[in-house]
Structure formats: C-alpha cells, structure tokens
C-alpha cells in the first residue's frame, strides 16, 4: 500500500517558466492538502482539495498559483511565471476523512529551485 | 489565529537519555494534534496522532501527552538512539471549519553516540 507519491522530487526552473507538481494520495484517500516549506521557515498550509473541488484555498497566493484534483489522476499544483521567492519544498498530504480526523500522511515533497 | 510554539528549538543529548519535547498552542479548541518527524531533505513521517478527547498516545519508545486546557503537548522519547536524530514537528488542527494543520517550527534533535 503505497503512501503519498509526489513527483518530481527535485525541479529546477528558470524565472518566468511554469512549474507543475504532482501528488498521488494514499489509495482510498479523497482529501488532499498542499503545504509549502520556505527555507528556514515552518510548513504553511496552501490549499485543501477533494475530488474535483477546492475546499479551502486560504493559504494560496492570489496570483500565479493554482491547484486541481481531477476525478481521475493526481492532484496538480501549478505555479506560473515562477520567481526566485517560489523556491521551497512543496509537500502534499492526504487523509481518508475530512479535516484529518484520522491524521495526515505526507509525501516526500518536491523541492523547487528557481534560477 | 492559532499559533504553535515548540521549545527547545534545538537539543543535543548523549545516547540513552530520556528526553521531552514541548509544544504549546494558543487556541485550546483543537480537533486533534499530530507529531511528525522530518529528516533532512526528506518528507514528514507521522509519529503519533492524539484526538482532542485523548490524553496520551504511545508507540514504542514514544509517548505523547495532550493537555487541551493548558494548550500543551509533550513528546517523550525513552532511551534515545542516534537514529532518533531529526527535526520533530508538532501540528494542530482546530475544531472550527478550518481544515489546515498549523505547524510549530520544530525541535532539531541530535543524539550523540
């Protein structure tokens, strides 16, 4: 039973390019969450999705960032026109129940470097 | 707004010692609290989940306690080993409609052989 799978593990983008980060939740989990860990900072919530719905995007920057969790396939976090300040580790988590009543399982993260 | 604080920020102990990591939160209306471990450059590994109605959880050499009224949780590690070296993160989810985890900044633990 695979855990949360994130890819790629490392991603390098030049300023102005697009970054697409993928997350496949634990099999049977329908709740997905994205968190960002900036260098020397703690983990911050970005967005919470269920299949085909964004439930809470209060932590998502208003511009350039978007997320989806389609009916089929992984959840995607998309960052358009990346800037150096987007360099961070992006973690995806999933849970079987909403609001993490059963706790959260995290992936290994995608480390984005913008050059 | 919920704030989570972890003390100490860093801790270095010799192998075999028992140790306690502290976590405090400002809003006692929590739904659950979860302790994680993060190794350098890696993801988060869940250690223990405590529901708001529980006082403690145990797994092997780890014991986590929760005192909602005082806004505190502790993670107790018995007979520490060098393999326990990592950053330990405390995270809470509130009872309200918000669904996100609020994380502390972590305690960086080094166990010396």
């Amino acid at each position: 039973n695979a855990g949360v799978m994130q890819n790629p593990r490392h991603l390098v983008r030049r300023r102005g390019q697009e970054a697409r980060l993928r997350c496949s939740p634990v099999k049977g989990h329908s709740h997905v969450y994205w968190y960002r860990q900036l260098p020397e900072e703690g983990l911050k919530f970005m967005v919470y999705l269920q299949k085909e719905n964004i439930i809470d995007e209060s932590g998502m920057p208003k511009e350039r960032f978007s997320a989806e969790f389609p009916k089929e396939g992984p959840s995607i976090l998309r960052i358009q026109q990346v800037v150096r300040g987007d360099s961070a580790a992006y973690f995806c988590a999933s849970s079987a129940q909403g609001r993490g009543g059963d706790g959260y399982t995290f992936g290994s993260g995608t480390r984005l470097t913008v050059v | 707004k919920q704030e989570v604080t972890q003390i100490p920020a860093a801790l270095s102990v010799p192998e075999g010692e028992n140790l306690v990591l502290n976590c405090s939160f400002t809003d006692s209306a929590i739904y659950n609290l979860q302790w994680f471990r993060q190794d350098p450059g890696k993801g988060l590994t869940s250690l223990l989940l405590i529901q708001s109605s529980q006082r403690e959880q145990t797994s092997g050499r780890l014991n986590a306690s929760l005192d909602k009224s005082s806004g505190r949780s502790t993670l107790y590690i018995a007979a520490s080993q060098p393999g326990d070296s990592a950053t330990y993160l405390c995270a809470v989810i509130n009872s309200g409609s918000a669904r996100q985890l609020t994380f502390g900044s972590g305690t960086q633990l080094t166990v010396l052989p």
Side-chain angles (χ1 to χ4, degrees):
Chain A
N1 183 18
V4 175
M5 304 301 293
Q6 289 189 249
N7 66 81
R9 293 290 300 274
H10 300 276
L11 182 61
V12 179
R13 284 287 177 265
R14 295 186 185 279
R15 282 179 293 172
Q17 290 185 320
E18 178 180 288
R20 292 172 70 88
L21 288 61
R22 296 175 185 76
C23 168
S24 296
V26 173
K27 188 175 181 181
H29 285 191
S30 58
H31 302 265
V32 166
Y33 312 79
W34 286 92
Y35 287 79
R36 177 165 66 173
Q37 188 173 37
L38 292 165
E40 306 304 322
E41 292 190 22
L43 283 125
K44 304 292 185 189
F45 168 79
M46 298 182 75
V47 61
Y48 162 39
L49 310 103
Q50 292 182 34
K51 285 285 187 180
E52 299 185 277
N53 287 301
I54 297 174
I55 307 301
D56 182 350
E57 56 182 348
S58 58
M60 194 90 103
K62 294 289 185 278
E63 297 179 350
R64 303 188 296 107
F65 285 72
S66 63
E68 63 176 9
F69 188 17
K71 187 176 180 181
E72 302 289 339
S75 175
I76 306 288
L77 179 67
R78 182 182 177 203
I79 311 172
Q80 295 178 290
Q81 299 177 323
V82 296
V83 301
R84 289 228 170 100
D86 297 332
S87 295
Y90 292 83
F91 292 96
C92 173
S94 73
S95 71
Q97 303 174 17
R99 298 179 64 222
D102 55 332
Y104 297 83
T105 301
F106 277 79
S108 297
T110 292
R111 279 147 187 87
L112 172 66
T113 302
V114 180
V115 297
Chain B
K1 180 186 171 185
Q2 178 74 270
E3 291 184 3
V4 180
T5 303
Q6 290 187 246
I7 294 173
L11 181 63
S12 183
V13 300
E15 182 176 4
E17 270 203 11
N18 302 325
L19 56 101
V20 174
L21 308 181
N22 297 292
C23 171
S24 61
F25 43 94
T26 54
D27 184 348
S28 62
I30 66 169
Y31 187 65
N32 63 30
L33 184 146
Q34 196 165 0
W35 282 93
F36 295 90
R37 165 187 174 142
Q38 185 175 27
D39 293 277
K42 301 288 179 62
L44 280 69
T45 300
S46 178
L47 298 173
L48 290 164
L49 170 70
I50 310 177
Q51 303 284 356
S52 62
S53 58
Q54 298 173 322
R55 290 229 172 222
E56 66 178 331
Q57 282 287 340
T58 297
S59 175
R61 294 183 294 107
L62 304 179
N63 175 277
S65 67
L66 174 64
D67 184 341
K68 268 186 60 177
S69 60
S70 66
R72 294 184 184 186
S73 176
T74 61
L75 179 66
Y76 175 82
I77 303 176
S80 58
Q81 303 171 358
D84 295 330
S85 298
T87 296
Y88 290 79
L89 297 166
C90 167
V92 303
I93 182 166
N94 293 340
S95 297
S97 59
R99 289 164 171 82
Q100 62 264 37
L101 284 166
T102 302
F103 281 87
S105 297
T107 294
Q108 187 173 358
L109 173 65
T110 302
V111 181
L112 303 169

